[in-house]
Amino acid sequence: MIKELIHDPVFLARKSELATKDDLLIADDLLQTLIAHEEECVGMAANMIGYLKNIIAFDNDGEYMVMFNPHIIKKSGQYETEESCLSLLGGPRKTKRYKSIKVQYQNREFQTRIKTFNDWTAQIIQHEIDHCNGILI
């Protein structure tokens, strides 16, 4: 189900809880909401649709991907950039990101996976993991 976006910075600044198999429907809603906003958005975290769960969905080079409980275990190539956010009003904000990240996460079957992402996809994932940690740009 496509959900309404949350714009409350106090809610968005709260840290998300670990996701469980009971949260699969939240992931479905998150993905459907992301697809509904594909013209202006490339990634979302569950708190953007009202759930404080550690789940992200994003465009991975043209194919959507969902991660449960992602965290970055290695990063390299720091750079400064500007980002906007569908949940936050106002224009782009400056932030620091890494060109390459290694992420440990769980898939829909809650199997642990580790994968390296680079460039634009790495930037999207970093933004969404920040959301899960209550960090707003």
Side-chain angles (χ1 to χ4, degrees):
M1 173 185 292
I2 298 169
K3 297 289 190 172
E4 188 173 329
L5 298 178
I6 303 298
H7 300 285
D8 177 4
V10 174
F11 179 83
L12 293 170
R14 293 174 56 194
K15 188 169 177 155
S16 296
E17 302 171 0
L18 289 178
T20 68
K21 289 182 181 181
D22 293 334
D23 299 319
L24 288 171
L25 291 178
I26 294 172
D28 293 341
D29 290 348
L30 183 62
L31 188 56
Q32 289 174 26
T33 305
L34 174 58
I35 292 169
H37 291 276
E38 67 184 341
E39 293 296 319
E40 66 262 358
C41 187
V42 291
M44 286 188 173
N47 65 352
M48 293 174 68
I49 60 168
Y51 300 100
L52 289 173
K53 291 293 184 168
N54 198 352
I55 307 168
I56 67 172
F58 58 95
D59 180 341
N60 181 22
D61 291 326
E63 187 174 317
Y64 289 107
M65 185 170 183
V66 175
M67 291 180 174
F68 295 84
N69 305 313
H71 63 275
I72 298 168
I73 57 175
K74 187 176 181 183
K75 52 193 172 186
S76 64
Q78 185 177 11
Y79 65 99
E80 286 194 24
T81 188
E82 289 188 353
E83 295 176 355
S84 294
C85 181
L86 212 52
S87 286
L88 300 175
L89 302 175
R93 294 168 175 89
K94 291 184 180 193
T95 189
K96 291 182 182 176
R97 295 292 181 215
Y98 294 87
K99 207 155 183 46
S100 179
I101 58 172
K102 185 181 283 190
V103 182
Q104 181 174 312
Y105 65 96
Q106 293 170 308
N107 62 17
R108 286 188 68 86
E109 291 75 38
F110 280 79
Q111 300 163 321
T112 299
R113 299 287 185 250
I114 296 175
K115 185 171 179 173
T116 299
F117 296 90
N118 297 297
D119 304 316
W120 178 236
T121 304
Q123 185 174 337
I124 297 166
I125 293 168
Q126 290 169 83
H127 181 102
E128 303 315 329
I129 289 176
D130 278 357
H131 263 296
C132 291
N133 291 322
I135 298 168
L136 305 177
I137 58 167

